[in-house]
Amino acid sequence: MNAQSSAPPAQNSKVFHRQLRTGLPTAVAGQGIELIDASGKRYLDASGGAAVSCLGHGHPDVIAAMHAQIDKLAYAHTSFFTTEVAEELADLLIDSAPEGMSHVYFVSGGSEAVEAALKMARQYFVEIGQPQRKHFVARRQSYHGNTLGALAVGGNAWRREQFKPLLIDVTHVSPCYEYRDRADGETPEQYGQRLVAELSQAIDTLGGENVMAFVAETIGGATAGVLTPVPGYFKGIRELCDRHGILLILDEVMCGMGRSGTLHACEQEGVVPDLLTIAKGLGGGYQPIGAVLAQGKLVDAFRKGSGLFQHGHTYLGHAVACAAALAVQKVIIRDNLLAQVRDRGTALQGLLQARFGDHPHVGDIRGRGLFWGVELVADRSTKQWFDPARKLHARIKAEAMVEGLMVYPMSGTVDGVRGDHVLLAPPFISSEEALALVVARLGTAIDRAIGSTI
Ligand code: PLP
């Protein structure tokens, strides 16, 4: 059965969809690691949507917790009340947070988490009498969300281009992109220190006393296809930030909450950020929820200063969203799913290597835990990308859907315009057999897509 068979024509829909020319299949149910469309076709959700559905779909414990919360209390505005469920979730998140984190600011998604973190950084420096600090430094090829502040710190050229006149001025430095940027004869550690030196230079140009924060995804996600940091890179960044009194904001909206094999990806780097954004895997898609974890020294400055964070949204700390996230996190702990992520991640790595390790059009396979990127190239020896006009990423996505497979391909891997990759982020509950099926279907989709582009 063809994936497009259940898709109503785009012109019949009144929904302002992302794509206005093509129809979409209608999702009607989700069971475990599968989504089911209106025609009954099943899709293996090997990307968790966009690295969201860590427990898969229809998890009975999460659904029961949401029902119970709805029966008790769906919503209470946070300027009038706190709720038991928000307090319990904050306790659980702080108990397992990186050292020194004292409070959680709940929002409704990743972009809101990044916006809140940017504004926390600014207000912190106002509170402590350093209002001259007004610059953010971030990385090219990063993705931090689509609201204006998050888009401004984000470094994806294509996403920023038409909105540039609306964006605050942010300095961007190189991503940590070992496959393309580590020089011949350079060790991974030397490469990392070269990047730290580049950041140091950018800070010196702005004046260290004028910079608020360096913002980075601990593991680069959507726009560059799972860029894992080289050893020592983030330690160097942390030391540099400390030398200048600059905050380190790590964005783990995609790579966090267990996706990389540890609860927070920064644990594997041996660094503690000042602000940590989380979202997707926090609520696993059962409700829209994100959060900023904040260091005690920041919260103290707010408390001693103005006594408030001058920010807020109507749905902060929504009770049903908190109940869903609390249930998701309790299941992860109860079922020891972080160990399972590491275990299945090793299996997935092996399967990807076996299928694509010698593939003439796969240049790099990279990732951690159940978070993997496969970078496509026209020529392995030169790392030359496919002509962007061929839209290889879109063809792979379409072919995968025909095969009954959801993956998250993207273009612009190299520089925001050129290059293609496929991102995989299967649910933590995936069996090895399911992962083998994912890789087999992906192989078929990639080969068909490349066959039709050459
Ligand atoms: N930050 C990162 C690292 C992300 O990957 C994303 C989404 O993909 C966001 C922020 C934005 O999150 P949302 O789409 O929930 O606003």
Side-chain angles (χ1 to χ4, degrees):
M1 191 183 300
N2 186 295
Q4 266 70 42
S5 60
S6 73
Q11 62 270 25
N12 287 354
S13 177
K14 303 294 179 290
V15 177
F16 200 143
H17 286 292
R18 289 168 183 254
Q19 303 279 348
L20 296 172
R21 293 208 198 112
T22 48
L24 291 166
T26 302
V28 295
Q31 286 169 2
I33 64 165
E34 289 185 322
L35 281 174
I36 302 154
D37 77 13
S39 74
K41 178 167 175 152
R42 290 175 170 265
Y43 304 82
L44 276 176
D45 187 359
S47 57
V52 172
S53 303
C54 54
L55 292 188
H57 304 276
H59 198 291
D61 297 326
V62 184
I63 290 168
M66 287 166 60
H67 280 158
Q69 185 61 47
I70 292 167
D71 287 343
K72 244 186 352 193
L73 171 72
Y75 172 70
H77 193 277
T78 46
S79 72
F80 298 90
F81 294 103
T82 186
T83 56
E84 287 169 356
V85 69
E87 296 292 338
E88 193 183 342
L89 178 60
D91 285 346
L92 184 143
L93 291 174
I94 291 302
D95 279 351
S96 53
E99 198 186 340
M101 295 288 182
S102 69
H103 286 73
V104 187
Y105 190 84
F106 290 118
V107 290
S108 301
S111 301
E112 277 189 15
V114 171
E115 293 289 339
L118 299 178
K119 288 177 75 177
M120 273 181 200
R122 170 63 191 166
Q123 190 179 327
Y124 168 68
F125 285 114
V126 173
E127 299 281 5
I128 65 168
Q130 298 183 29
Q132 84 288 350
R133 287 193 191 255
K134 57 182 183 188
H135 294 291
F136 289 113
V137 184
R139 302 188 298 185
R140 290 189 296 280
Q141 286 307 88
S142 58
Y143 183 64
H144 296 294
N146 264 331
T147 49
L148 292 177
L151 191 63
V153 287
N156 181 259
W158 174 76
R159 281 183 176 71
R160 291 168 51 89
E161 184 54 31
Q162 67 172 325
F163 300 106
K164 262 190 197 157
L166 311 183
L167 303 180
I168 55 165
D169 196 16
V170 171
T171 299
H172 288 98
V173 295
S174 300
C176 189
Y177 193 173
E178 188 180 5
Y179 168 61
R180 289 198 177 268
D181 295 346
R182 179 161 68 85
D184 288 343
E186 196 176 36
T187 65
E189 289 78 4
Q190 286 166 341
Y191 168 53
Q193 292 319 300
R194 175 157 64 82
L195 294 176
V196 173
E198 182 192 335
L199 175 61
S200 179
Q201 209 159 36
I203 289 171
D204 288 345
T205 304
L206 293 164
E209 70 287 2
N210 297 320
V211 177
M212 290 180 282
F214 177 64
V215 186
E217 296 159 273
T218 313
I219 300 174
T223 47
V226 192
L227 296 183
T228 51
V230 292
Y233 167 73
F234 271 114
K235 277 205 166 131
I237 298 269
R238 178 72 268 185
E239 283 162 20
L240 179 62
C241 288
D242 286 345
R243 244 192 339 270
H244 292 282
I246 294 170
L247 299 180
L248 176 61
I249 301 177
L250 289 182
D251 181 355
E252 298 202 0
V253 163
M254 188 175 260
C255 66
M257 300 315 290
R259 175 68 42 210
S260 72
T262 48
L263 184 63
H264 303 295
C266 59
E267 291 170 37
Q268 293 173 56
E269 303 312 308
V271 296
V272 171
D274 298 288
L275 294 167
L276 179 66
T277 56
I278 56 175
K280 295 165 186 281
L282 173 60
Y286 288 89
Q287 284 285 286
I289 185 165
V292 185
L293 307 189
Q295 280 288 330
K297 74 166 184 192
L298 274 82
V299 183
D300 282 349
F302 282 58
R303 194 185 279 129
K304 287 185 194 134
S306 63
L308 55 85
F309 175 34
Q310 195 183 332
H311 191 60
H313 298 287
T314 301
Y315 296 122
L316 293 185
H318 192 282
V320 182
C322 288
L326 184 59
V328 168
Q329 298 312 312
K330 281 182 172 175
V331 168
I332 289 173
I333 295 166
R334 183 196 69 195
D335 295 350
N336 202 16
L337 290 183
L338 294 185
Q340 187 158 313
V341 169
R342 292 191 288 273
D343 181 56
R344 299 287 145 81
T346 304
L348 179 56
Q349 178 178 19
L351 288 160
L352 289 169
Q353 283 295 349
R355 178 64 177 83
F356 300 115
D358 295 323
H359 194 289
H361 296 298
V362 171
D364 196 24
I365 302 167
R366 51 188 180 241
R368 277 185 199 164
L370 284 173
F371 193 39
W372 285 85
V374 175
E375 182 166 340
L376 287 315
V377 286
D379 183 329
R380 267 171 80 122
S381 59
T382 61
K383 302 184 183 176
Q384 178 64 36
W385 43 82
F386 282 95
D387 179 356
R390 296 181 179 216
K391 297 196 181 306
L392 177 61
H393 66 289
R395 291 180 192 228
I396 293 172
K397 186 172 177 180
E399 293 290 355
M401 288 292 273
V402 170
E403 287 299 300
L405 176 70
M406 292 164 59
V407 289
Y408 204 58
M410 200 75 80
S411 62
T413 317
V414 179
D415 57 4
V417 179
R418 296 171 294 184
D420 301 270
H421 66 264
V422 179
L423 186 145
L424 295 169
F428 301 174
I429 56 167
S430 305
S431 65
E432 278 195 41
E433 295 71 38
L435 294 175
L437 199 53
V438 163
V439 173
R441 289 184 186 178
L442 178 61
T444 305
I446 287 178
D447 286 345
R448 274 215 217 107
I450 289 176
S452 66
T453 64
I454 293 178

